Amino acid sequence: MTKCSAPGKMILFGEHAVVFGKPALALAIDLRISAEMTRSAQYSVNGHAMKKKHHAYISAALDQAWGGPPINIDTDSMIPSGSGLGSSAAVTVSCIAAMLLQKGKLEVEEVARRSFEVENKVQGRASPTDTSTSAHGQGVLVSPEKLDGFLWRIEKGDRTWHMHHCSVPTLRFVVGYTGIHAATGPLVAKVKKLVESSPEAKGQVDRIGEIVLEGVEALRRTDKKKLGALMNENHALLNALGVGHPALESLVEASKEFSYGAKLTGAGGGGSMIALTDEPKKLAAAIRAAGGEPIMVEVGCEGVRAEQ
Ligand code: PMV
């Protein structure tokens, strides 16, 4: 039957602040997940009977976009799960795409919309950053307003996000995975509580929003020094919002010698950090020596696609 693949992502700027309606910038990375659909006697994943709880995203994707006869979905993933690199979005996007392709046509915007609904249902609350980046690929700027490079708009309740295409120059990033799995929901709730009670925290969220837009300009100019400085500032603000972790801090510290800048990426509380560098091998060794798992990634990669 059909097979599709989709990339993971890293958030370059704006995580958490995006939940408060601020902009965010995410880049697709060259770690992909593929999903292959075949006819089967029962609904199954990788040959095992599907369990709604265990296969939450795939099962919700089936509810969202299938409705045909029982199928088996074989997944193949290059993305460590729980690392903050968008594995749940990539699995959702590749499954939805395979189902739509099987039913007729793979349209990227439709894949992005349906995949957002799946993530939102499974997680209770989500922004469409991960799913739209995995679907579109390259770079995606999420913003409350419509700007240049507009792709599509997604609305949920009283929230509206505008997705924009961002071209990504060749840049070298190394991810440092702490190996610590931290659930996104409680971290988002923690920041919400802080921002509602502290004007200082609200100011920090506002500043992150500005950093994102300055970051988009620096990315256009391939200004690595400026990008690095903005990453460092964004990281300090995320620490101030309480989503840092000592393991992330040691990886960020260890990166300093070989990078333009470094920050946690995604929800924080563990997960991963990213650093921008011209010396990926030395940086990877420093991350490893500090106890992290280095992952060299290319950014600005292709979004969802059909596979042979
Ligand atoms: O957990 P991740 O890597 O998907 O990142 C979550 C990003 C947040 O801004 C914290 C939440 C969101 O839904 O945008």
Side-chain angles (χ1 to χ4, degrees):
M1 298 208 337
T2 51
K3 182 175 178 179
C4 289
S5 75
K9 65 91 213 342
M10 62 184 209
I11 298 182
L12 185 54
F13 299 112
E15 51 274 268
H16 286 289
V18 70
V19 175
F20 298 88
K22 301 292 168 192
L25 177 62
L27 311 180
I29 57 176
D30 62 339
L31 302 178
R32 303 183 76 85
I33 291 185
S34 69
E36 182 171 15
M37 275 177 56
T38 44
R39 281 280 167 85
S40 169
Q42 60 167 351
Y43 286 104
S44 54
V45 177
N46 297 322
H48 302 285
M50 185 172 310
K51 296 196 181 85
K52 269 204 183 279
K53 220 171 157 192
H54 185 61
H55 304 116
Y57 290 94
I58 297 180
S59 157
L62 277 166
D63 292 345
Q64 169 59 234
W66 191 230
I71 51 169
N72 173 64
I73 295 188
D74 278 317
T75 59
D76 193 5
S77 174
M78 298 162 73
I79 310 172
S81 94
S83 60
L85 298 177
S87 65
S88 60
V91 81
T92 304
V93 167
S94 56
C95 284
I96 293 274
M99 291 170 201
L100 295 182
L101 186 62
Q102 180 64 27
K103 284 164 68 172
K105 210 160 143 211
L106 193 173
E107 265 174 353
V108 175
E109 182 178 334
E110 189 183 357
V111 172
R113 287 183 185 286
R114 288 179 180 265
S115 299
F116 165 66
E117 292 299 332
V118 169
E119 271 217 329
N120 195 59
K121 187 175 160 203
V122 174
Q123 296 175 6
R125 193 176 167 91
S127 82
T129 313
D130 288 19
T131 38
S132 278
T133 306
S134 183
H136 177 69
Q138 303 164 78
V140 171
L141 170 67
V142 185
S143 118
E145 293 111 40
K146 192 172 169 180
L147 304 168
D148 285 351
F150 175 71
L151 293 167
W152 53 73
R153 186 173 68 219
I154 291 184
E155 289 167 15
K156 194 85 202 166
D158 57 356
R159 298 179 298 163
T160 302
W161 299 271
H162 296 81
M163 260 34 89
H164 305 83
H165 165 81
C166 237
S167 298
V168 184
T170 304
L171 292 171
R172 289 179 181 277
F173 288 94
V174 178
V175 174
Y177 176 37
T178 60
I180 299 164
H181 180 95
T184 302
L187 288 156
V188 169
K190 186 178 167 184
V191 175
K192 185 167 180 269
K193 213 171 147 195
L194 185 66
V195 170
E196 279 169 1
S197 62
S198 149
E200 200 188 346
K202 194 185 164 298
Q204 284 154 350
V205 164
D206 291 343
R207 176 62 195 141
I208 292 176
E210 292 167 7
I211 287 176
V212 176
L213 299 180
E214 289 173 32
V216 170
E217 283 310 312
L219 194 69
R220 279 198 188 121
R221 301 191 306 268
T222 322
D223 185 342
K224 291 190 262 190
K225 273 198 181 150
K226 179 73 181 174
L227 283 168
L230 291 170
M231 287 170 74
N232 290 338
E233 190 186 349
N234 195 161
H235 179 71
L237 290 165
L238 287 164
N239 270 338
L241 290 173
V243 296
H245 187 278
L248 281 168
E249 228 34 53
S250 17
L251 302 191
V252 166
E253 269 309 306
S255 300
K256 289 216 162 121
E257 197 183 340
F258 304 111
S259 70
Y260 292 95
K263 65 179 274 292
L264 70 85
T265 188
S272 299
M273 50 72 70
I274 51 173
L276 175 61
T277 185
D278 287 332
E279 299 178 290
K281 283 192 180 149
K282 285 184 187 165
L283 175 56
I287 287 173
R288 193 178 293 286
E293 184 190 330
I295 311 170
M296 289 193 205
V297 291
E298 276 180 27
V299 291
C301 304
E302 196 187 348
V304 67
R305 65 174 182 233
E307 300 285 347
Q308 284 305 318

